[in-house]
Amino acid sequence: MGDIAVVGIDCAFPGAAGVQAYWDLLMRGGDGIGPVPAQRWEARDFPAVSGSGGFIDDADVFDSDFFSVTPREAAAMDPHHRLLLPCAWRALEDSGRAPGDLAGTETGVFIGVMGGEWGRLTMSDLARVTPLLGAGSSAGMAANRISYHFNFTGPSLAVDTACSSSLVAVHLAAGSLLTGECDTALAGGVNIVLSPSLGMVYGQLGLAASDGRCKPFSADADGIGRSDGVGLVVLRRLDDALADGQRIYAVLRGSAVNQDGRSNGVIAPNRWSQQRVLNSAYRRAGVTPDRVAFVEAHGTGTVLGDAIECAALGAVHGIPRETPCAVGSVKGNLGHTEGAAGIAGLIKTVLALHHRIVPASLYADRENPQLRLGERGMRLLKSPMRLPRGESLAGVSSFGMGGTNAHAVLGSAPRIPVAAGARTGAARDAVGVFTVSGDTPEALRRNLAAQADAVARRPRGGAAALCRSSNRIKTGLPYRFAAPVRDTDELVAELRRAAAPQDAAGSGGRPWGRPVVAFLFTGQGSEYPGMTAGLHRDSPAYRRHLAEADEALAAHLGTSVRELILSGDERVHRPEFAQPALFAVGYALAGTLTSLGITPAAVLGHSLGEYAAAVTAGALSLDEAARLVVRRGALMGELPAGGGMISAATGPEELAELLAGEPGTVVAALNGPADTVLSGPLEALERIGRELTDRGVRVKRLPVSHAFHSPLMAPAAAGLRAEPVRCGPPTVPVASTRHGRMLRHDLMDAGYWADQIEEPVLMDTALGALVADVAPTHLIEIGPRGTLLQIAARGGRAAAAEFLHPAPGTEATGKELAATVAALYRGGLDPLWEELYAPEHRVVEALSPYVFSSAQRHWDRQAFVHSAQPATAQPVTAQPATARTHPAGPVAVPPVAGPPVAVPPAAGPSGADADDPVLLAVVQAVTEVGGYPPERVVREARFYEDLGFDSVMIMQLKNQVEARLPRVGEVSVQQMLPALRSVGSLAAFLDDMLLARSA
């Protein structure tokens, strides 16, 4: 048998709500046994059943809104199903994946569940039977609901082999993985003690513990105590888990299932069958029993069951070995969780292998001497047992009342070397983006607070690996939080700030689409020694892309521009070095962003910035652009000095007269309506500047070496015009600052680049064309210093866009890049997060599981379980289904229980909508079918995504609408389907039908 990795876990057992609480309970030797809650039944009415057992707290809590389940359906659902859905979500999170990432995949679901108490309790009163109760009480739906709500298309089945159900489910899941039916599997089981009926059966069989406690292998053992429980593990083939870098708790080495056959009674255990299943499992695992350090036994605490199991264990494990095989049973801590018993034992064993310590066995201090454990090569653990270095092996047994036996062999996880650099100071200081998401603003705040508390309990240290894990796990829900951080202290502060009720950002707006991003590439004048050095230190992606640009430029420049940039060399101000350096920075920044999944809808370059923009747009190759930039810088560097540039806060009209009086001085850039750059001889610019200052116009001299974009550039333009240029039409729209319009199929050839040197930069009109063409939601400046965003802000061309800059100046580090990614994630982007992190941070860190809302409780408070006294039978009348015509023939359409209920107008739509009788009727119909409070049913509510309607409920809705709007007449489902986008769209459709039939 191939190896299967356990990569995710979630569980809830009595006294242990969650994996960590379960482990804490085991290690401290606690138990979860307590009195029967009044919600289940009145213990005094059933004196034949123990008044104690193991009960999960808040078993009636279910966040139905999260799973898009209507309140009416949630109330009809078997509580087993309600416990499994959040457990599945948390287990998948624990496996290091956002559960939504697996939607549409052939993920398998294998659930062990015993009996069908909910169906017996709810379906026995035929007058109360509804379609929702019918679907809600099916055992098979325990698995199918998970597959449906998570959109899994792999095998989905429920297993009932009584007490061994969940371990058999794990066995079947492993087989499905090994045959290739699925690549990921959820396996486990669930049990809820809903009535005392099975407890009465145990009592009549002489198997019930008087105090409701299982005492496995103890001299005080007197039977079974029943308990709740739910547990799921996420399984993958070991090779796949290793390849994907998932955390591995333990490895399932092999498992086996068999049957007692015809023995001394259908519910009596069979020693020989138990021996055979043990030997079969060890054979399939390729191990010998002497290597097994401990066995998590079935261990119910019945006299006969313990004796038979110990005899079978001794026959297999009682062989020469260095130390006796340790044995125990978690039922001493939890009671007998029946359909979830196998998964309770498996999770205990997995955690013991993971933590490399086996918890002590409860009640071991009074070992039953008749079991002769010592003679049989076994021992009960009276204290926790440390596991030695190297691989440790363990077994898990689970035996069903009907004779179906299961045994699994587990081994400790393979050792994975820690990535080089993971513990260095640089690793601790690395920046990341921590993400949290929720299905509502309140859920987001709730989970922000939970994450803050969890991180605060960790040792202080770097946060990059935590951030990377949050990006993989906590990003799948609509309301989003993201913050760039370096260490855990900073992270806790950010989380708590956002979770605070008074913090508006904490609600995390819900993006309704993806951001539309435009890149603005900065031109010459923004360079400075050491530019982007902090980003280069922090970002491996930026380092990689800058190295690519450096290699392309070095072939023509003859030196390393990267070394020039990072060393703080003052030569960076000379055109022959400034221009290649700025091009390299622009190319590397754009490459870093695109590698993170930030793809521009359009690009704009200011003067020199157009070269990196052209490469990003696909109009030039990197090598071709590098050659042209080096040639351009060299040609300009050869020009005599003496020119300069100034910016003036005024338009060209006011400057026309001044320019006419200064030959050789021209408009070099039109950056905005009142934002003009002049270029020419220094003396002339000085005179113009003084005159403008006297007029009250703000003037600023620009830090440039030449009079760019002026007639003084003519020799350089001529030299570049003679260069052959290999170019193509851009694949991304380019807002040309040469022409002041969008380029789509135009070639950026030698003529374009030559004209671009001496003609003015038409920034304002180019930006206006870009905004009109793509309507960007975000403008990102690509350059080492902020200039273009300031220009855009002054010009007002993109007032609705958010401005971002990943490298805004001399103090910039990787944090600004992370802040850019965070802002875009909040705006609807799903980045390629891995590019943000160095390999040593790409490890799985445990995060606090998702915290669901506890506000909704879905337990039918009507007492299903009455006293044991016989009751007078009452006549029951079943409500017939209504026959409706369907394209495929007559179909029974089950009605909503009871006639349409009129909802008072005050409870319906408010404001202007209150006067809309059709909308009111639709709201009332939705309220009746779904069981929602009327205030939840707003015009914008979507039937499938927000209200959780399905095909049966749509048929019920149709009936309700027809009853409330008789003038509409009969409406077919086919007619309604296109209008079922939202409550409002259905109301509009019905309004149109009324108008048409009134005409």
Side-chain angles (χ1 to χ4, degrees), residues 97 100 227 316 727 795 840 949 972 985:
R97 300 284 297 275
S227 292
V316 175
C727 59
E840 58 265 26
F949 270 48
S972 72
S985 64

Side-chain angles (χ1 to χ4, degrees), residues 163-188:
C163 314
S164 60
S165 298
S166 54
L167 196 59
V168 172
V170 171
H171 169 79
L172 294 174
S176 182
L177 285 164
L178 293 174
T179 59
E181 278 188 318
C182 57
D183 293 327
T184 300
L186 271 166

Side-chain angles (χ1 to χ4, degrees), residues 14-314:
V19 177
Q20 187 58 50
Y22 183 37
W23 182 244
D24 292 343
L25 178 82
L26 295 173
M27 287 303 296
R28 72 171 187 269
D31 70 51
I33 308 305
V36 176
Q39 186 185 58
R40 309 292 178 101
W41 66 84
E42 288 295 338
R44 64 177 178 270
D45 292 339
F46 299 90
V49 179
S50 172
S52 297
F55 301 96
I56 294 176
D57 293 335
D58 297 325
D60 58 342
V61 168
F62 176 57
D63 193 348
S64 58
D65 288 343
F66 183 92
F67 292 102
S68 297
V69 175
T70 67
R72 190 180 300 280
E73 183 178 11
M77 282 172 62
D78 188 327
H80 293 81
H81 306 176
R82 297 199 298 253
L83 284 178
L84 282 166
L85 285 171
C87 185
W89 183 276
R90 290 188 295 254
L92 289 168
E93 280 196 336
D94 191 58
S95 74
R97 300 284 297 275
D101 289 349
L102 291 171
T105 66
E106 294 182 343
T107 295
V109 182
F110 302 81
I111 302 299
V113 59
M114 176 177 158
E117 277 190 308
W118 183 256
R120 291 195 299 272
L121 293 171
T122 59
M123 300 287 284
S124 58
D125 183 353
L126 300 184
R128 299 179 67 245
V129 169
T130 67
L132 295 178
L133 279 174
S137 61
S138 165
M141 293 288 283
N144 300 158
R145 279 192 188 275
I146 296 174
S147 298
Y148 169 76
H149 285 286
F150 288 78
N151 191 22
F152 297 155
T153 61
S156 181
L157 56 117
V159 180
D160 186 354
T161 59
C163 314
S164 60
S165 298
S166 54
L167 196 59
V168 172
V170 171
H171 169 79
L172 294 174
S176 182
L177 285 164
L178 293 174
T179 59
E181 278 188 318
C182 57
D183 293 327
T184 300
L186 271 166
V190 61
N191 193 64
I192 295 289
V193 181
L194 294 172
S195 81
S197 57
L198 190 55
M200 295 172 71
V201 172
Y202 288 156
Q204 292 164 8
L205 290 169
L207 301 176
S210 59
D211 59 358
R213 297 173 184 271
C214 295
K215 296 173 272 296
F217 313 120
S218 169
D220 299 323
D222 62 345
I224 292 170
R226 300 184 66 206
S227 292
D228 300 341
V230 60
L232 291 172
V233 292
V234 182
L235 304 176
R236 299 200 70 200
R237 292 180 289 271
L238 177 60
D239 289 345
D240 292 343
L242 289 171
D244 288 348
Q246 291 180 285
R247 175 185 52 194
I248 299 171
Y249 284 101
V251 176
L252 178 61
R253 296 284 300 273
S255 60
V257 172
N258 74 358
Q259 232 287 331
D260 288 350
R262 190 170 183 85
S263 58
N264 61 341
V266 70
I267 63 172
N270 184 312
R271 168 186 172 178
W272 315 110
S273 291
Q274 291 180 16
Q275 286 180 210
R276 285 194 296 270
V277 81
L278 290 167
N279 283 320
S280 178
Y282 293 138
R283 184 173 61 254
R284 298 189 73 195
V287 304
T288 53
D290 62 295
R291 295 180 55 198
V292 176
F294 68 99
V295 171
E296 172 63 21
H298 187 57
T300 56
T302 61
V303 175
L304 179 63
D306 283 2
I308 289 177
E309 183 172 12
C310 285
L313 286 169

Side-chain angles (χ1 to χ4, degrees), residues 742-754:
M742 300 302 292
L743 301 183
R744 297 195 183 277
H745 304 293
D746 309 68
L747 294 179
M748 302 177 83
D749 55 16
Y752 182 94
W753 298 113

Side-chain angles (χ1 to χ4, degrees), residues 469-675:
S469 292
S470 76
N471 304 155
R472 289 173 60 88
I473 299 169
K474 299 290 186 179
T475 52
L477 299 171
Y479 290 87
R480 301 176 167 199
F481 163 86
V485 295
R486 290 189 184 275
D487 59 47
T488 52
D489 285 355
E490 184 182 12
L491 174 55
V492 170
E494 287 288 342
L495 289 167
R496 287 185 171 153
R497 178 196 59 76
Q502 66 271 19
D503 182 73
S507 62
R510 176 177 185 169
W512 293 99
R514 287 175 59 84
V516 179
V517 175
F519 287 178
L520 309 184
F521 291 81
T522 313
Q524 195 166 346
S526 59
E527 71 278 356
Y528 59 89
M531 55 185 173
T532 71
L535 177 61
H536 187 272
R537 181 190 64 245
D538 285 351
S539 171
Y542 182 74
R543 290 196 295 270
R544 186 174 70 251
H545 287 98
L546 187 64
E548 291 173 4
D550 185 48
E551 183 179 2
L553 289 162
H556 309 286
L557 190 62
T559 189
S560 169
V561 74
R562 178 181 57 186
E563 293 179 9
L564 179 84
I565 293 169
L566 300 176
S567 66
D569 196 322
E570 291 292 334
R571 290 182 298 165
V572 77
H573 293 299
R574 290 163 47 182
E576 62 268 34
F577 295 114
Q579 297 190 19
L582 284 170
F583 169 78
V585 167
Y587 171 84
L589 282 172
T592 299
L593 293 174
T594 54
S595 71
L596 284 161
I598 304 168
T599 305
V603 297
L604 176 153
H606 193 285
S607 185
L608 174 70
E610 285 202 292
Y611 285 89
V615 175
T616 303
L620 292 177
S621 69
L622 171 60
D623 288 339
E624 187 70 355
R627 182 182 67 83
L628 291 172
V629 167
V630 171
R631 179 64 176 148
R632 184 184 196 264
L635 288 168
M636 290 187 178
E638 294 169 359
L639 296 174
M645 303 176 81
I646 61 171
S647 65
T650 186
E653 299 82 6
E654 188 175 347
L655 296 169
E657 181 182 349
L658 293 173
L659 293 175
E662 296 287 357
T665 303
V666 296
V667 172
L670 293 169
N671 290 330
D675 195 349

